[in-house]
Amino acid sequence: MPDHAAPTGLLADVVRFSWVDGPGNRYAVFLQGCNLDCLACHNPHTMPLRTPKARVVTVDELVEDVARLEHFLSGVTVSGGEATLQAPFVAALFTALRDDPRTARLTRYVGSNGCASDAVWDLLLPVTDGVMLDLKSLDVTTHVELTGSTNDQVLASLDRLVREQRLAEVRLLVVPGHNDAEHLLRRTGLYLADHAPGVPVKVIGFRPH
């Protein structure tokens, strides 16, 4: 019987088979709403906290859809928007996926901008296999220019995810004229080599559209 007290999520969209949202073929969940205002957002329609196109979804509804496709999947990734803004829903979803025999083998990943508190990670990490973290810029001034926010919380999240062995990937979106200076890229590479040794880094070229 469904748990009517379970949290619901505000969903922007799902991509049932994705090869770009983590390892293997993944069921990608894009939640609505973000806590940054990035100039180079690749999912700008997911940024507002509310939109007529978003819909409320239950944990059971998503679990059933994932279970129906389980044979073709490697895992489930929740992104956005910013997945950590709906942390109780993500935790409930990941717990249900872990506990359901049909979906228990699937890995559970979060795509995040890292602007999340320790309390959020306390909730998510026990049921999360990996986090793909966006680092918009190591330079705080550039980070504010690109996102409207400082990067203090992002770097704190990166350090914690490394300590708890949950940092699966760092994603660097290179935006020409903003964070592509050679000295900044070199500094970023040295920082990640020191703070996140062995963690894969994905460099993504900005494509305006």
Side-chain angles (χ1 to χ4, degrees):
M1 179 178 295
D3 180 0
H4 297 293
T8 57
L10 188 61
L11 181 72
D13 204 356
V14 298
V15 176
R16 290 178 171 85
F17 302 107
S18 170
W19 287 88
V20 297
D21 292 289
N25 192 24
R26 306 190 71 78
Y27 187 103
V29 179
F30 294 89
L31 298 180
Q32 186 68 41
C34 191
N35 49 7
L36 294 183
D37 186 20
C38 296
L39 294 176
C41 181
H42 69 290
N43 288 326
H45 62 286
T46 69
M47 291 169 64
L49 295 179
R50 296 285 172 183
T51 174
K53 293 187 177 181
R55 68 182 180 91
V56 174
V57 67
T58 67
V59 168
D60 289 340
E61 182 180 345
L62 283 183
V63 169
E64 288 304 316
D65 200 34
V66 172
R68 183 173 60 86
L69 306 169
E70 176 270 332
H71 292 297
F72 307 101
L73 297 171
S74 304
V76 175
T77 297
V78 180
S79 182
E82 175 52 33
T84 62
L85 285 184
Q86 300 186 50
F89 173 75
V90 178
L93 173 64
F94 281 4
T95 300
L97 290 169
R98 180 197 64 188
D99 294 346
D100 191 317
R102 299 172 298 173
T103 57
R105 70 168 186 83
L106 301 176
T107 58
R108 302 172 299 276
Y109 274 53
V110 170
S112 175
N113 61 32
C115 289
S117 67
D118 273 330
V120 166
W121 295 124
D122 287 344
L123 183 63
L124 290 178
L125 292 185
V127 290
T128 300
D129 294 304
V131 177
M132 297 175 295
L133 188 74
D134 293 330
L135 178 57
K136 310 297 185 182
S137 179
L138 188 62
D139 177 74
V140 64
T141 301
T142 305
H143 198 277
V144 171
E145 291 173 357
L146 286 171
T147 71
S149 177
T150 67
N151 60 6
D152 295 353
Q153 207 167 38
V154 180
L155 298 180
S157 291
L158 185 148
D159 286 340
R160 174 162 183 186
L161 293 170
V162 169
R163 288 196 307 271
E164 302 205 20
Q165 299 183 327
R166 291 294 190 277
L167 186 59
E169 181 178 273
V170 176
R171 295 184 163 190
L172 305 177
L173 176 64
V174 178
V175 184
H178 290 276
N179 62 356
D180 63 338
E182 183 176 350
H183 73 276
L184 179 56
L185 294 175
R186 181 177 297 276
R187 180 181 158 210
T188 302
L190 292 172
Y191 181 91
L192 291 174
D194 182 52
H195 286 255
V199 175
V201 177
K202 178 176 286 186
V203 180
I204 304 170
F206 172 66
R207 295 181 295 276
H209 57 271

